[in-house]
């Protein structure tokens, strides 16, 4: 649930903090006051498309912040945990900044997020339904998605299994098409791969060889420095009256002391052990000294070998391991091309087997959708009857074709007859604006019962209706608010009267700049606003009485 929204320097809003509560909250005000701007701000906070045009003129950035409270065990908790987002007291703070250059910065509980992640989290918390969403009902290709949305987890599981096979089929078909390309392309690719394999094989590079060569090159290139350093090290240990001679004398005297004072025996043993370790090290230094090579020919050979390896690395991979992996891949592809017919037959058999399995999964999807279609028809007709469309008939026309698509072989289209005795026709052709509003509201009512959406926002979805239909829509919105927080921008007094909380949006000019403000209306102010909505302009005692009557009716309906 959205508890509080803070907006700064957004469009005509300078600075605004709006608290929200449970139940049905309506936002009213004159046209152009900024009602939809508040909904736009929420939409951007939830990952909507941003633009520098949203930044208030003369400011460097727009800031939007929302405080949400989630129910314990909400479906999005696992996603938040995977992102490393800590949740305290079931509260979530989402924040988005849009700079004057159009750049967006998104945060959830202070942690930077991508817009995609912000959108994923936001859509799980809030469902925004505006007039433009009618377009999904007015496009037949969107109807299958709406049917699947009604199915919930049952259809999701079946779709998941279907899509795994569908993706496998696409990969297999792509490979078949690649093998089935024209002979000239295959011949050219065969020549290229044969040359590349020969070049890599000729190099005969071994994993780790380049690292060892680089070490050898470094030693050979600095052989004089190495020889001098080792020589001096050895001389310090074995020069006359130096190093080990002094240590040997010291060890002899310490042995005598230890024979007198037995407490010194551990010290003698420690020094004795160190002496022999140093002596052993001197032998290793001598061996290293003998192995120092000044031969420039060997250095040249190492340089040439390194150059040979670097040449194939530049062409085929950043390391010898990558070069060898590439060689293995093209060798396999070359073998497939040389034995194209055999591999083509194997792939075709694989494709046919996948199609058989995919057909079974597709049929399972169709069976589920047929059941869903009947349930959706019954549920929607019940909701529509409450919205004074009881004479309407609604049907989900489901057709199954031969072609496999991402979502199955089915195509769905919503058919409707809005008058008794009229034949069913495509919804996209016969429904009016007011009817589309009621159908979408009915769908939202059905979907909200099966989803964990904590807030539903309606942006002027009651456009095109009046009278008893407006009252029915108001009651429907109130019923939805009993299970989810509902925010609604409306011009209908019937809807405003049903609200638990009434926010009035006003626009005023201060020092030559337009400013939007939000006022929480008390009972008297609510009566006056309803009277204004009823009269359209001049508020009279009669319109006030009508407003009071409307509020009393709303109270009765709620009860």
């Amino acid at each position: 649930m959205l508890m509080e929204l803070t907006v700064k320097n957004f469009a005509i809003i300078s600075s605004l903090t709006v608290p929200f509560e449970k139940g049905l909250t309506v936002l009213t005000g004159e046209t152009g006051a900024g009602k939809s701007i508040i909904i736009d701000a929420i939409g951007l906070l939830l990952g909507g498309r941003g633009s520098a045009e949203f930044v208030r003129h003369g400011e460097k950035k727009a800031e939007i912040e929302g405080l949400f409270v989630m129910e314990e065990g909400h479906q999005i908790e696992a996603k938040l945990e995977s992102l490393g987002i800590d949740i305290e007291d079931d509260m979530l703070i989402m924040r988005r900044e849009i700079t004057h250059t159009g750049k967006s910065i998104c945060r959830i509980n202070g942690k930077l997020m991508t817009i995609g992640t912000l959108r994923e989290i936001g859509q799980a918390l809030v469902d925004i339904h505006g007039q433009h969403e009618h377009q999904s009902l007015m496009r037949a290709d969107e109807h299958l998605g709406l049917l699947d949305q009604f199915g919930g987890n049952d259809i999701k599981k079946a779709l998941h299994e279907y899509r795994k096979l569908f993706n496998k089929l696409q990969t297999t078909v792509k490979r078949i098409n690649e093998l089935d390309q024209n002979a000239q392309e295959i011949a050219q690719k065969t020549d290229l791969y044969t040359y590349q394999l020969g070049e890599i094989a000729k190099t005969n590079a071994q994993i780790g060889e380049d690292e060892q060569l680089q070490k050898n090159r470094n030693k050979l290139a600095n052989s004089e420095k190495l020889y001098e350093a080792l020589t001096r090290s050895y001389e310090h240990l074995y020069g006359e009256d130096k190093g080990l001679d002094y240590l040997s004398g010291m060890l002899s005297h310490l042995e005598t002391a230890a024979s007198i004072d037995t407490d010194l025996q551990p010290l003698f043993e420690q020094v004795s052990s160190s002496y022999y370790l140093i002596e052993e090290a001197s032998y290793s230094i001598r061996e290293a000294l003998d192995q120092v090579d000044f031969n420039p020919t060997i250095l040249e050979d190492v340089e040439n070998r390194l150059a040979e390896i670097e040449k194939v690395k530049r062409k085929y991979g950043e390391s010898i391991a990558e070069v060898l992996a590439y060689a293995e891949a093209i060798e396999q592809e070359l073998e497939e091309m040389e034995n194209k017919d055999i591999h083509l037959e194997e792939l075709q058999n694989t494709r046919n087997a996948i199609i058989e399995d995919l057909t079974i999964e597709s049929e399972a999807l169709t069976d589920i959708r047929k059941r869903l279609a009947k349930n959706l028809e019954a549920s929607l007709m019940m909701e529509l009857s409450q919205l004074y469309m009881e004479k309407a008939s609604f049907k989900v026309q489901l057709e199954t074709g031969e072609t496999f698509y991402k979502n199955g072989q089915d195509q769905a289209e919503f058919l409707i007859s809005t008058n008794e005795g009229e034949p069913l026709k495509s919804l996209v052709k016969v429904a009016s604006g007011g009817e589309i509003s009621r159908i979408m509201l009915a769908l939202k009512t059905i979907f909200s019962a099966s989803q964990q959406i904590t807030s539903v926002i309606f942006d002027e979805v009651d456009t095109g209706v009046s009278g008893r239909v407006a009252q029915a829509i108001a009651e429907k919105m109130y019923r939805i608010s009993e299970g989810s927080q509902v925010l609604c921008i409306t011009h209908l007094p019937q809807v405003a009267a049903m609200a638990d909380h009434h926010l009035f949006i006003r626009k005023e000019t201060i020092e030559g700049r337009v400013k939007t403000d939000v006022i929480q209306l008390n009972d008297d102010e609510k009566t006056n606003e309803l009277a204004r909505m009823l009269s359209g302009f001049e508020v009279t005692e009669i319109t006030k009485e009508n407003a009071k009557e409307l509020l009393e009716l709303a109270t009765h309906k709620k009860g």
Side-chain angles (χ1 to χ4, degrees), residues 235-473:
E235 286 178 350
H236 279 298
L237 286 175
Y238 269 114
E240 188 176 346
D241 293 330
K242 294 180 181 178
L244 287 173
D245 279 350
Y246 277 119
L247 288 176
S248 178
M250 180 272 294
L251 190 60
S252 176
H253 292 307
L254 186 57
E255 183 178 18
T256 301
S259 66
I260 298 171
D261 182 357
T262 56
D263 290 341
L264 295 173
Q265 187 64 32
L267 178 60
F268 167 73
E269 291 175 357
Q270 183 181 0
V271 174
S272 177
S273 177
S274 298
Y275 173 82
Y276 292 121
L277 284 173
I278 294 173
E279 188 177 41
E280 186 68 28
S282 70
Y283 300 151
S284 299
I285 293 173
R286 181 71 255 180
E287 289 178 3
L289 192 57
D290 293 338
Q291 291 175 7
V292 175
D293 199 332
F294 297 95
N295 193 335
T297 303
I298 297 177
L299 176 59
E300 185 179 355
D301 291 342
V302 170
E303 294 280 10
N304 291 337
R305 178 60 176 162
L306 270 173
E308 187 180 14
I309 292 174
E310 288 300 318
K311 180 180 177 181
V312 295
K313 282 169 63 177
R314 281 195 302 271
K315 289 185 177 182
Y316 309 117
E318 294 184 359
S319 66
I320 293 176
E322 288 186 14
V323 171
L324 296 178
Y326 175 76
E328 184 178 354
I330 64 172
E331 187 175 20
Q332 181 179 349
E333 192 171 343
L334 186 60
E335 190 270 334
E336 287 180 358
M337 287 189 293
E338 290 173 346
N339 299 279
K340 185 188 75 170
D341 294 339
I342 296 173
H343 286 290
L344 197 56
E345 184 179 356
E346 290 176 352
L347 285 168
Q348 288 168 341
N349 291 336
T350 300
R351 178 197 59 192
N352 295 338
I354 295 172
I355 288 175
E356 289 182 10
D357 293 339
L358 198 59
T359 301
I360 294 172
E361 295 295 339
S362 176
E363 290 172 351
L365 270 177
T366 302
D367 290 341
I368 294 173
R369 283 170 174 153
K370 285 179 179 178
R371 294 196 301 271
L372 289 177
K374 292 187 178 298
N375 293 339
L376 180 59
E377 289 166 0
S379 298
L380 194 63
M381 284 308 303
M382 183 176 68
E383 296 294 334
L384 290 178
S385 67
Q386 298 172 9
L387 293 168
Y388 295 100
M389 290 183 70
E390 65 276 0
K391 300 296 184 181
S393 298
F394 177 81
K395 181 177 178 59
V396 179
Q397 180 175 279
L398 198 64
E399 295 183 353
T400 304
E402 298 294 327
T403 305
F404 294 105
Y405 298 102
K406 181 182 178 181
N407 294 315
Q409 294 177 285
D410 302 320
Q411 299 292 324
E413 184 173 9
F414 294 164
L415 306 179
I416 194 167
S417 169
T418 55
N419 296 300
E420 191 174 9
E422 292 293 322
L424 289 163
K425 294 182 181 179
S426 173
L427 174 68
V428 304
K429 296 178 181 178
V430 300
S432 66
E435 289 165 343
I436 287 292
S437 293
R438 281 181 276 174
I439 294 169
M440 182 57 83
L441 183 58
L443 286 172
K444 291 291 181 183
T445 305
I446 296 168
F447 293 160
S448 66
S450 60
Q451 298 173 344
Q452 284 188 300
I453 298 294
T454 59
S455 302
V456 180
I457 298 176
F458 293 106
D459 185 4
E460 298 187 22
V461 296
D462 46 26
T463 300
V465 298
S466 59
R468 65 175 188 169
V469 174
Q471 183 61 43
I473 286 178

Side-chain angles (χ1 to χ4, degrees), residues 48-241:
R49 181 174 295 178
S51 167
E53 294 178 0
F54 287 116
V55 181
R56 185 172 168 86
H57 178 68
E59 303 294 340
K60 292 184 177 180
K61 65 179 178 180
E63 302 173 51
I64 310 167
E65 186 172 87
L67 170 63
F68 296 85
V69 174
M70 301 186 307
E71 295 181 0
E72 188 175 349
H74 194 282
Q75 60 184 358
I76 204 63
E77 284 186 0
K79 176 66 177 179
L80 294 170
E81 185 177 345
S82 69
L83 293 170
I85 298 174
D86 297 324
I87 307 172
E88 294 184 9
D89 300 324
D90 297 321
M91 291 193 299
L92 204 65
I93 297 175
M94 299 177 69
R95 180 180 176 86
R96 184 170 180 184
E97 299 175 4
I98 302 175
T99 68
H100 67 285
T101 60
K103 182 181 178 182
S104 283
I105 302 171
C106 309
R107 288 183 174 87
I108 299 178
N109 279 5
K111 190 167 186 176
L112 284 170
M113 293 288 143
T114 64
I115 291 178
T117 300
L118 194 76
R119 185 181 303 117
E120 182 180 356
I121 302 298
Q123 288 177 350
L125 296 173
V126 180
D127 182 13
I128 299 181
H129 173 50
Q131 295 182 68
H132 66 278
E133 280 195 295
H134 294 335
Q135 295 172 7
S136 61
L137 277 180
M138 298 305 289
R139 291 195 299 266
D141 56 358
E142 297 280 350
H143 293 177
L144 184 66
L146 290 170
L147 177 63
D148 287 349
Q149 187 179 347
F150 176 69
N153 290 329
D154 290 341
I155 194 74
K156 280 182 181 178
K157 184 177 180 181
L159 266 174
H160 178 71
E161 295 301 320
Y162 172 88
R163 284 173 180 165
K164 282 198 302 186
L165 285 170
F166 178 75
N167 292 335
K168 190 175 179 181
L169 176 63
Q170 283 190 310
T171 302
T172 304
V173 169
K174 180 182 178 183
R175 190 74 194 103
I176 288 172
N177 292 336
E178 288 173 351
L179 276 179
D180 206 22
Q181 59 190 318
N182 66 61
Q184 184 178 4
E185 282 187 49
I186 291 178
Q188 290 174 346
K189 192 176 280 189
T190 299
D191 288 344
L192 175 63
Y193 285 173
T194 300
Y195 170 79
Q196 291 177 339
L197 281 172
E199 189 174 29
I200 294 171
K202 182 180 178 182
T203 305
N204 193 28
Q206 305 298 316
I207 293 177
E209 181 184 356
D210 49 349
E211 288 90 345
Q212 186 59 50
L213 285 168
Q214 287 167 353
K215 286 173 63 177
N216 292 343
R217 179 178 63 182
N218 187 54
K219 285 171 62 176
L220 289 165
N222 296 280
S223 56
E224 291 185 6
K225 282 186 179 180
L226 178 62
Y227 184 83
E228 182 181 356
L230 289 172
T231 299
R232 289 184 176 277
S233 297
Y234 188 78
E235 286 178 350
H236 279 298
L237 286 175
Y238 269 114
E240 188 176 346
D241 293 330

